[in-house]
Amino acid sequence: MTKSLEGKVAIVTGSGQGVGRGIALFMAKEGAKVITNNRKPKSNDTVSVNESFLSLGVKGTPEFNVEEMKKILELRGDAESTAQEIMMEGGEATPFYGDVSEFETAGKMVQLAIEKYGRIDIVVNNAAGMGFGPFVEMKESDWDYQTVSKLKGAYNLMSHAMPYMIKQGFGRILNCASDAWTGIANLSAYSAANAGIVGLTKSTAKELDRFGITVNTYCPQADSPGHMSFRATLRTMMEENGIKMDPNNNRVEESEKEHGPAENVAPFLVYLCTEQASYVNGAVFTVTGGGRISLYSEPKIIKEIKKTDKPWTVNELINQIPETLLKDYVSIGKDREF
């Protein structure tokens, strides 16, 4: 390890398991002190590791197998187990249970970082709620579950952390989205939440750049309990709704092939938090556990028509639009493969 985050303090939400856990572990290995987080303890497991127990494992005492303990902690999947594994590896971490969609709770987590470690350098907004189904069947509670934890959670933590980052003259904010931000049928709330994250990222990146703070978005594709269940359910939903999978251009299949270990997503995110990546701001990346890192293009106008003497008439638009502004255009409504 390069210890590229030595002296830095990071908050990683949703880090009890999956991608968030992988990010927290890797950042700690790179020298960061980490606040781990998820909503509440996992109640069906009572594994506890104290300092004396850890010291036994470090010394290699036969009664305690570090690797076996790590597997148990990974299955437990909450903020404490992730923090314990970080400490087991010689790092520093503090767990925090709480729902980041609650403004005061997010503030308490930032204060914990300040009180415990004296600063806050990195915020990884990784918490999210997943869901699926046709828009016409969506309940208000479904919409709220998928949008509030992601969008409001990101706002809450950024709002509390930014004043400290501005004062320090340094900050790195990583907002987790999904490739669904481009819009996926039957995932309207999830797509909307992730598109909102992209907009939030680009807006705040422009505002905060002069303070030495960068804000970027990552769309992870990696194995985790949530993603594995989500992909399986999505496939079933597609089949039930008659959405065909084109064998020559199947994004679901290609996506699944590239899902690898969650921790493989973390190195690129650590890079974005280094001094060397200070020029990267407002970007949107896809990062897979299988080793692919992709950069999305910036939105731009590709065609336009203009009339300055008087307003367009409907008949003029009917006659001109198909052969000018929308020539070669194909409606996304025709895309039924995903």
Side-chain angles (χ1 to χ4, degrees):
M1 293 295 168
T2 59
K3 296 295 182 182
S4 59
L5 300 183
E6 192 74 54
K8 298 293 191 288
V9 178
I11 290 175
V12 184
T13 68
S15 50
Q17 59 183 4
V19 172
R21 173 183 170 276
I23 295 169
L25 291 172
F26 195 83
M27 286 190 167
K29 289 177 182 178
E30 285 290 323
K33 300 174 179 66
V34 183
I35 303 293
T36 59
N37 159 258
N38 66 288
R39 288 187 179 90
K40 58 184 179 179
K42 193 167 182 178
S43 58
N44 62 352
D45 195 342
T46 57
V47 174
S48 179
V49 181
N50 57 37
E51 291 182 4
S52 60
F53 195 30
L54 286 177
S55 68
L56 289 174
V58 173
K59 294 177 182 178
T61 306
E63 289 83 358
F64 179 71
N65 185 301
V66 175
E67 292 305 316
E68 288 182 3
M69 190 63 200
K70 286 170 66 176
K71 290 179 181 179
I72 293 173
L73 295 177
E74 182 176 353
L75 289 173
R76 183 181 184 187
D78 64 10
E80 183 182 355
S81 66
T82 301
Q84 288 172 346
E85 185 165 349
I86 288 172
M87 291 185 286
M88 192 180 299
E89 297 286 349
E92 294 186 56
T94 303
F96 179 92
Y97 293 114
D99 188 343
V100 294
S101 66
E102 298 169 354
F103 188 77
E104 291 185 359
T105 300
K108 290 178 181 178
M109 182 155 48
V110 172
Q111 282 304 308
L112 175 63
I114 299 300
E115 293 169 6
K116 183 81 174 181
Y117 301 120
R119 57 188 293 124
I120 177 65
D121 301 284
I122 301 165
V123 168
V124 183
N125 286 309
N126 188 74
M130 290 184 176
F132 57 90
F135 181 81
V136 294
E137 297 178 8
M138 184 181 301
K139 299 177 182 178
E140 181 183 8
S141 58
D142 297 329
W143 177 272
D144 290 344
Y145 177 73
Q146 294 176 62
T147 60
V148 173
S149 62
K150 182 174 281 288
L151 270 176
K152 192 167 188 293
Y155 161 76
N156 288 345
L157 268 177
M158 291 171 69
S159 178
H160 287 292
M162 277 181 186
Y164 295 103
M165 292 181 172
I166 291 173
K167 188 175 181 180
Q168 295 167 178
F170 179 91
R172 297 289 184 264
I173 297 171
L174 300 175
N175 291 327
C176 180
S178 161
D179 295 295
W181 77 272
T182 60
I184 295 179
N186 298 291
L187 295 175
S188 55
Y190 189 62
S191 296
N194 286 293
I197 286 292
V198 172
L200 174 66
T201 293
K202 292 185 177 297
S203 175
T204 53
K206 294 173 182 178
E207 292 182 30
L208 298 172
D209 186 78
R210 65 193 178 99
F211 298 111
I213 302 171
T214 66
V215 190
N216 291 291
T217 291
Y218 65 100
C219 303
Q221 293 182 13
D223 292 332
S224 69
H227 280 84
M228 290 163 67
S229 174
F230 179 72
R231 297 203 314 268
T233 307
L234 175 61
R235 181 178 292 279
T236 300
M237 178 200 71
M238 291 169 63
E239 292 173 351
E240 290 177 349
N241 285 274
I243 302 175
K244 297 180 180 180
M245 298 182 184
D246 183 347
N248 298 316
N249 187 22
N250 184 1
R251 282 175 281 174
V252 174
E253 291 289 350
E254 291 302 315
S255 173
E256 289 185 358
K257 288 178 182 177
E258 293 193 327
H259 278 70
E263 56 268 26
N264 289 357
V265 171
F268 178 68
L269 302 187
V270 166
Y271 164 74
L272 291 177
C273 294
T274 63
E275 296 282 0
Q276 291 85 345
S278 61
Y279 69 99
V280 186
N281 205 1
V284 182
F285 300 94
T286 293
V287 190
T288 77
R292 176 171 62 88
I293 302 172
S294 305
L295 171 66
Y296 274 98
S297 64
E298 292 298 319
K300 62 180 182 179
I301 295 173
I302 56 173
K303 289 182 183 179
E304 67 180 17
I305 58 174
K306 190 175 182 180
K307 185 178 180 183
T308 58
D309 56 341
K310 55 184 177 179
W312 290 98
T313 67
V314 174
N315 281 336
E316 286 175 327
L317 295 173
I318 289 174
N319 291 326
Q320 290 197 34
I321 291 291
E323 296 302 321
T324 55
L325 187 66
L326 297 184
K327 185 175 177 61
D328 301 321
Y329 166 78
V330 178
S331 169
I332 61 173
K334 304 299 183 183
D335 185 359
R336 295 281 292 167
E337 67 175 87
F338 194 92

